[in-house]
Amino acid sequence: HSKKLLDTAYIDILTGLYNRNKFLDDIADLTAQAQFNGTKLGLLLIDIDNMKIINDYNGHTAGDEVLKKSAEILKRFSKNIIKAYRFGGDEFLLAIKNCSSMDSITNVCDTVFESFNSEQIKFSGGIAVYPDDSEEPEDLLRFTDIAMRRAKKDGKNRITNFKPEMQRVFIQKLNMQAKMSAALLNSDFYLVYQPQFDIKTGDLRGFEALMRWHDKELGDIGPAIFIPLAEETGMILEIGDWVLNTAFCTLKNWQQKYSFKGIMSINISPMQLKQPNFIENIRNLLIKYNLNPDAVEIEITEGIMIENMNEAIEKLNSLKNIGLRISLDDFGTGYSSLSYLQVLPLNTLKIDKSFITGITEKNGIQANITNSIITMVTKMGLQTIAEGVEKNEQLQILKEFNCHIVQGFLRGKPMPEQNCAAYLGGKKSALISLETEKS
Ligand code: C2E
Ligand code: CA
Ligand code: CA
């Protein structure tokens, strides 16, 4: 009777494979055996590719079927020298015992990979080897994970062997993550605000909040470097919350002190929007700072469409219904599918700097494309913002094209809060721009 209880604690119900607990129990024996026999122990961590898409598009039953089928394949291998475990989620682990050489481990892995492929299940795998990579079970597990993540990063559907330099990169990332956590606590992050102007009237339309990071050791680190890192490590959620709070707080401040009537544009990462409580967060922030939602513009990129398009559209609709403005950033880079313009509830389209830079004469190719985009989306009722305008000629051409708003170094650079406050308070010389720098 007690044996049965023990079994269920060690068995994964869905697949019937041993579970992670069983592995954690086995690993000491496995390494001891390898040491005794003078053999190697290979650990292959398997993570099914695109499981989220399978679940989202085909339902969880389909997802379960993939997991069961994967387990069946692994059971075929589970003999004396190979032991298979389900680690939870879409992760499996294969322990390959008694290997005399690295080649024999590689051979087994290749065969497993082929078997999955012939059943049309794709996975990414990471291999770590006892005692070559480490003698410590915890290290070995961590290393399989690092190698597996590398396999994913290199394009999925492959098996990658752990290499020490992967750990160095990993540790660097951990350090950066620790640094970013510390930066949040120490207020080493701050926001700058870049003004946006109506092209026809020259009136201030609002500001875009942009992150800055000054580290005592590393100096200034640009958002193009730390935002992707923060996205990779998940830190972007905390950082994004800080940005929202800070920008909302600043906006309220400007409204109270300077009767600021403009818009605050805030960049949002796809991961942030994916949070289940994102909408609620925004709602709470609006209450906390007592702000009208139409003073806030959320800037998104088409990156939000990659994983779950319907969910993204639904969330954006909720934000729009609350009354926030939605802006599509960086239009002209990536895929820039015109169909996004139809399905996304947008107020504003930001034409990417790469387009604007190419506008050198009124009838150039870039100029023609920009002109068409502006005409088209204006008909759709959207406002257009030209990003990265540095030259007066560009501005004049954009004006002829009836582009609404200009944002760029020519008219205004991203500025510290004090400059914006002074400017809003009437001190026009507080504005920093290529124009003001010249004079
Ligand atoms: P973005 O959202 O496209 O922001 C505009 C970038 O263009 C900013 O770079 C701005 O300084 C720069 N820029 C504006 N006008 C000109 C110009 O006339 N010439 C040139 N050469 N550059 C101009 P920045 O501040 O380095 O930000 C880079 C990117 O980092 C942003 O691109 C955005 O994707 C991301 N980012 C910045 N702050 C945040 C944030 O708070 N949250 C998130 N998720 N991303 C952020
Ligand atoms: Ca932006
Ligand atoms: Ca942009």
Side-chain angles (χ1 to χ4, degrees):
H1 183 73
S2 67
K3 179 166 187 305
K4 191 125 199 257
L5 265 183
L6 212 62
D7 276 353
T8 45
Y10 276 151
I11 298 244
D12 174 62
I13 298 173
L14 180 73
T15 62
L17 286 177
Y18 286 126
N19 61 19
R20 188 187 183 100
N21 284 338
K22 175 69 172 146
F23 174 80
L24 296 177
D25 242 38
D26 285 352
I27 181 69
D29 283 345
L30 291 171
T31 52
Q33 237 176 52
Q35 189 187 26
F36 184 78
N37 297 333
T39 52
K40 295 179 193 298
L41 169 72
L43 299 181
L44 169 66
L45 181 67
I46 291 174
D47 189 295
I48 309 294
D49 289 337
N50 306 324
M51 196 64 193
K52 194 176 158 14
I53 296 178
I54 298 172
N55 276 327
D56 285 350
Y57 285 86
N58 305 320
H60 284 269
T61 330
D64 284 354
E65 284 313 312
V66 169
L67 294 176
K68 281 191 208 159
K69 210 165 165 191
S70 307
E72 288 312 316
I73 299 170
L74 291 177
K75 277 178 198 162
R76 273 186 245 151
F77 288 92
S78 244
K79 297 215 183 70
N80 290 336
I81 59 151
I82 302 177
K83 225 164 165 178
Y85 306 82
R86 179 172 178 221
F87 258 33
D90 56 351
E91 278 189 358
F92 298 90
L93 190 110
L94 219 58
I96 308 158
K97 299 192 270 182
N98 282 326
C99 294
S100 51
S101 68
M102 202 48 219
D103 280 348
S104 37
I105 295 176
T106 310
N107 284 340
V108 172
C109 291
D110 287 349
T111 322
V112 171
F113 191 73
E114 286 311 313
S115 310
F116 269 81
N117 251 340
S118 57
E119 303 266 1
Q120 290 168 13
I121 301 174
K122 310 270 180 243
F123 75 82
S124 301
I127 302 174
V129 177
Y130 171 96
D132 305 36
D133 294 322
S134 173
E135 298 188 6
E136 294 301 322
E138 281 148 49
D139 285 346
L140 289 168
L141 265 191
R142 205 154 36 83
F143 293 169
T144 60
D145 191 63
I146 291 175
M148 183 273 287
R149 281 167 200 273
R150 172 60 71 91
K152 292 261 185 209
K153 206 171 173 184
D154 287 347
K156 300 183 180 171
N157 192 30
R158 68 192 66 207
I159 295 178
T160 302
N161 288 53
F162 173 78
K163 299 255 163 44
E165 75 257 18
M166 290 178 193
Q167 198 189 14
R168 275 198 288 279
V169 173
F170 190 76
I171 288 172
Q172 272 167 11
K173 272 187 195 151
L174 278 185
N175 280 340
M176 278 301 258
Q177 189 172 4
K179 268 194 171 304
M180 281 189 254
S181 290
L184 270 177
L185 288 173
N186 302 339
S187 315
D188 290 339
F189 287 123
Y190 59 100
L191 292 182
V192 290
Y193 305 89
Q194 184 174 27
Q196 306 167 330
F197 298 97
D198 187 301
I199 291 185
K200 290 247 157 66
T201 64
D203 292 344
L204 181 69
R205 182 254 191 188
F207 292 90
E208 175 178 3
L210 294 160
M211 264 193 105
R212 294 292 177 262
W213 178 12
H214 182 82
D215 182 82
K216 277 169 210 79
E217 291 162 25
L218 303 174
D220 290 323
I221 306 162
I225 290 175
F226 72 80
I227 297 278
L229 255 169
E231 282 172 338
E232 218 174 294
T233 59
M235 270 298 287
I236 192 68
L237 298 183
E238 266 174 88
I239 292 180
D241 274 347
W242 176 86
V243 170
L244 283 166
N245 255 289
T246 310
F248 275 44
C249 182
T250 302
L251 175 60
K252 186 67 194 176
N253 220 351
W254 290 349
Q255 289 179 350
Q256 286 178 329
K257 290 201 182 127
Y258 312 107
S259 307
F260 176 59
K261 298 276 188 296
I263 289 164
M264 179 68 87
S265 292
I266 304 171
N267 293 287
I268 295 293
S269 284
M271 258 182 112
Q272 280 176 276
L273 190 74
K274 258 193 271 168
Q275 295 172 101
N277 57 352
F278 183 71
I279 309 292
E280 201 183 315
N281 271 352
I282 294 278
R283 227 193 272 273
N284 288 338
L285 281 174
L286 288 170
I287 296 169
K288 178 175 172 188
Y289 293 102
N290 186 24
L291 281 166
N292 271 335
D294 62 358
V296 177
E297 186 161 77
I298 296 293
E299 290 197 9
I300 53 160
T301 55
E302 43 182 39
I304 60 148
M305 307 290 275
I306 290 173
E307 264 190 33
N308 191 339
M309 185 154 126
N310 292 333
E311 188 186 309
I313 294 171
E314 204 177 295
K315 291 236 166 131
L316 292 176
N317 274 320
S318 307
L319 288 175
K320 185 109 181 257
N321 288 339
I322 294 174
L324 279 95
R325 304 173 58 93
I326 316 273
S327 167
L328 183 63
D329 204 353
D330 301 340
F331 191 81
T333 64
Y335 295 100
S336 296
S337 162
L338 292 179
S339 61
Y340 291 160
L341 298 182
Q342 288 178 317
V343 293
L344 293 174
L346 301 173
N347 301 87
T348 311
L349 187 83
K350 298 189 80 169
I351 304 167
D352 191 69
K353 177 175 183 296
S354 56
F355 264 82
I356 307 303
T357 309
I359 301 181
T360 43
E361 49 177 349
K362 216 164 61 185
N363 285 317
I365 294 175
Q366 299 283 64
N368 280 332
I369 298 176
T370 307
N371 194 4
S372 321
I373 293 174
I374 292 169
T375 309
M376 180 182 66
V377 302
T378 304
K379 273 191 195 143
M380 295 172 73
L382 303 188
Q383 213 177 31
T384 47
I385 299 184
E387 292 193 288
V389 177
E390 293 181 351
K391 297 199 172 83
N392 197 35
E393 300 83 74
Q394 293 163 347
L395 185 63
Q396 293 320 317
I397 294 173
L398 288 162
K399 193 174 184 174
E400 276 186 50
F401 291 169
N402 290 313
C403 181
H404 301 120
I405 311 291
V406 51
Q407 180 182 343
F409 290 177
L410 178 73
R411 299 297 321 278
K413 291 188 172 180
M415 306 187 290
E417 198 273 331
Q418 305 88 282
N419 285 67
C420 300
Y423 179 71
L424 292 173
K427 194 175 166 208
K428 296 296 163 210
S429 64
L431 188 78
I432 307 171
S433 73
L434 290 177
E435 288 171 337
T436 58
E437 279 167 358
K438 253 183 261 161
S439 58

